[in-house]
Amino acid sequence: MIPAPIPSNDLDRINALNEYDIMDSEPESDYDSIVDLASKICEAPISLVTLVNEDRQWYKAKTGIDGHETPREEAFCAYTILDNELFEVEDTFFDERFLQHPGVDGDPFIRFYAGMPLRSPSGYNLGSLCVIDRVPRKLTEFQKNALRTLSQHVIKLFELRRKNRELKLLQVTQSRMMSIIGHDLRSPIASINALFEILDEYDMSMEELKKLLPDIRKSAESTGELVINLLDWAQSQMAGLKINKSSLPIRYIVQSVIDDNERIFTRKSNTIVNQVTDDLHVIGDRRMIEFIFRNLILNANKFTSDGTITIRYENGTFSITDTGIGIPESRMKDLFSWDHRMSTPGTNDEKGSGLGLPMCHEFVNAHGGRIWVESAVGAGTTIRFTLS
């Protein structure tokens, strides 16, 4: 047996497959009807809709065969995805690629195989629509054309699935944005308006005006934080949390957050310690990773005064540790919840949106990682996360 070579564009191909979120999905009658029809037209006892990812071939639909998947190195369809045309093996006993193949020597005793690649609109072969027989043979031109047509219908079902997911995501995004705008944005804007009404109504001295400036600044910063987070989140949702991965210099990203917000840290007399080493690079989406560090570092600053905030990377885990006021046990379970999010005033009565931590949770999950919190009231907080 000779396993199929890995195509040069395999990473992009797998990313294209993942966009459909279809691997390991539940059986669907539309796909079952297609394999039944393919089996009848091609007079083959076995027909499959298969998808091939980095290590396995999974059956989205099947007839005439047991099981749900095979290792990729044993997949006939791993050869099918190498080309854009029908891949046909008339007799496996005379094809060196499949000599001593477990599916040839044993169940389901494959002697004949024909597969049509499932080619996405973006040009990637995601898997195949295939038929299998236990005797050597070949397809007629009519049967070959039928497989081509049916494979196109499978792709149309994939695209319909994607569109339905995008529509549901858009509805959720719209609903959340309206809720956030109506609930969170109204309060800081109202505070700013009230302060300006005071300025407009009363003849105030410069000293009196200076006393109001901190409140104006807090309201403006709160509004700015909300708008930035809301726009970042909406952009990520519209893109379907698509990950545009590249090699990222983490120390540089962390230091940029520190440098860009130096005045905010100085205002609270906090020292920021960047212990991430120069040589650390991780694979991830730059926009999402920058968001995670910006929000976690600024959140630590919000609840710390005259203290220290330390950013580390140890044993595959990032941590942001502060010496601030800590988090009550009753708040811990809802820190990353969209439905129960709430904003707690900081040590200088800073207001927040409650959006940052749920968004960090979403972005970490999108990278295949996890995020958690260790904290005690009066003893500071550490937020840790991984990216894969």
Side-chain angles (χ1 to χ4, degrees):
M1 184 184 75
I2 304 174
I6 303 298
S8 59
N9 67 344
D10 203 52
L11 180 58
D12 292 334
R13 188 193 65 80
I14 292 170
N15 286 337
L17 171 61
N18 291 339
E19 288 178 6
Y20 290 97
D21 190 30
I22 195 169
M23 289 288 289
D24 301 309
S25 59
E26 293 296 318
E28 297 177 63
S29 60
D30 288 337
Y31 296 93
D32 295 337
S33 297
I34 288 176
V35 294
D36 286 342
L37 186 56
S39 188
K40 287 181 173 66
I41 292 175
C42 296
E43 301 176 288
I46 299 170
S47 180
L48 304 165
V49 169
T50 72
L51 299 169
V52 180
N53 69 4
E54 52 265 62
D55 57 10
R56 61 193 172 108
Q57 168 189 253
W58 177 75
Y59 309 152
K60 174 57 183 172
K62 61 181 181 175
T63 185
I65 194 172
D66 294 326
H68 300 284
E69 62 184 32
T70 66
R72 179 170 176 170
E73 59 267 22
E74 297 178 9
F76 278 66
C77 297
Y79 278 98
T80 302
I81 64 172
L82 298 178
D83 200 358
N84 299 328
E85 297 302 323
L86 183 79
F87 175 66
E88 188 173 25
V89 181
E90 296 180 6
D91 192 339
T92 57
F93 283 9
F94 295 95
D95 192 317
E96 65 177 2
R97 293 171 295 186
F98 305 109
L99 295 179
Q100 298 181 324
H101 186 287
V104 173
D105 296 341
D107 191 52
F109 301 100
I110 302 168
R111 287 292 298 274
F112 166 80
Y113 171 92
M116 190 67 199
L118 299 173
R119 189 169 179 80
S120 72
S122 56
Y124 295 104
N125 294 332
L126 311 178
S128 82
L129 171 64
C130 67
V131 291
I132 295 170
D133 209 336
R134 297 184 177 93
V135 295
R137 48 173 294 201
K138 60 181 179 180
L139 296 182
T140 66
E141 286 304 313
F142 171 77
Q143 290 169 333
K144 292 178 182 179
N145 287 332
L147 270 189
R148 291 187 184 96
T149 300
L150 290 174
S151 71
Q152 292 168 5
H153 282 287
V154 174
I155 288 297
K156 288 178 181 178
L157 290 175
F158 286 2
E159 286 297 303
L160 181 60
R161 177 187 180 88
R162 191 218 296 268
K163 295 298 181 186
N164 286 338
R165 289 179 61 244
E166 289 175 352
L167 180 59
K168 290 178 182 178
L169 184 59
L170 183 61
Q171 291 171 338
V172 171
T173 301
Q174 183 183 38
S175 175
R176 282 185 174 176
M177 285 188 68
M178 294 307 296
S179 173
I180 293 165
I181 291 171
H183 181 269
D184 298 276
L185 198 55
R186 183 182 300 167
S187 177
I189 289 178
S191 297
I192 293 173
N193 285 338
L195 290 168
F196 279 112
E197 286 174 5
I198 292 173
L199 294 176
D200 205 28
E201 185 174 349
Y202 298 100
D203 184 16
M204 306 184 71
S205 67
M206 185 58 67
E207 290 303 315
E208 291 171 322
L209 178 59
K210 286 181 178 179
K211 291 179 181 179
L212 287 178
L213 286 179
D215 291 331
I216 296 174
R217 186 186 65 235
K218 288 176 186 176
S219 294
E221 288 178 350
S222 174
T223 306
E225 178 194 353
L226 172 60
V227 171
I228 290 171
N229 285 350
L230 181 58
L231 290 175
D232 279 346
W233 177 76
Q235 184 179 6
S236 74
Q237 296 299 298
M238 296 305 179
L241 284 180
K242 183 177 180 181
I243 305 294
N244 296 309
K245 289 187 175 180
S246 61
S247 179
L248 305 177
I250 298 300
R251 180 176 176 82
Y252 172 81
I253 289 174
V254 171
Q255 196 59 45
S256 294
V257 172
I258 296 171
D259 294 343
D260 291 346
N261 297 278
E262 182 179 1
R263 289 186 179 181
I264 296 175
F265 303 134
T266 301
R267 193 183 301 150
K268 301 194 70 176
S269 300
N270 285 326
T271 300
I272 315 299
V273 181
N274 182 3
Q275 291 188 355
V276 179
T277 58
D278 289 329
D279 60 345
L280 178 64
H281 285 66
V282 300
I283 303 300
D285 184 288
R286 189 181 194 98
R287 177 176 52 84
M288 292 186 184
I289 300 304
E290 287 176 345
F291 179 94
I292 292 168
F293 279 109
R294 184 177 75 243
N295 271 267
L296 295 184
I297 293 171
L298 291 178
N299 199 62
N301 184 72
K302 178 180 175 182
F303 296 103
T304 305
S305 295
D306 300 304
T308 302
I309 299 165
T310 306
I311 302 93
R312 299 185 181 91
Y313 179 80
E314 297 175 311
N315 301 320
T317 301
F318 292 99
S319 64
I320 292 87
T321 300
D322 65 58
T323 58
I325 60 177
I327 304 170
E329 182 67 29
S330 60
R331 288 279 333 273
M332 295 281 281
K333 63 183 178 64
D334 293 327
L335 285 176
F336 303 113
S337 170
W338 274 102
D339 296 330
H340 300 95
R341 64 187 179 83
M342 59 183 294
S343 176
T344 302
T347 55
N348 281 4
D349 199 34
E350 304 100 316
K351 301 296 189 295
S353 65
L355 283 172
L357 290 180
M359 288 179 62
C360 287
H361 185 258
E362 277 196 10
F363 290 169
V364 167
N365 282 350
H367 282 79
R370 66 187 188 98
I371 184 169
W372 67 100
V373 181
E374 301 163 2
S375 185
V377 174
T381 298
T382 296
I383 296 187
R384 304 184 193 276
F385 67 94
T386 62
L387 293 176
S388 62

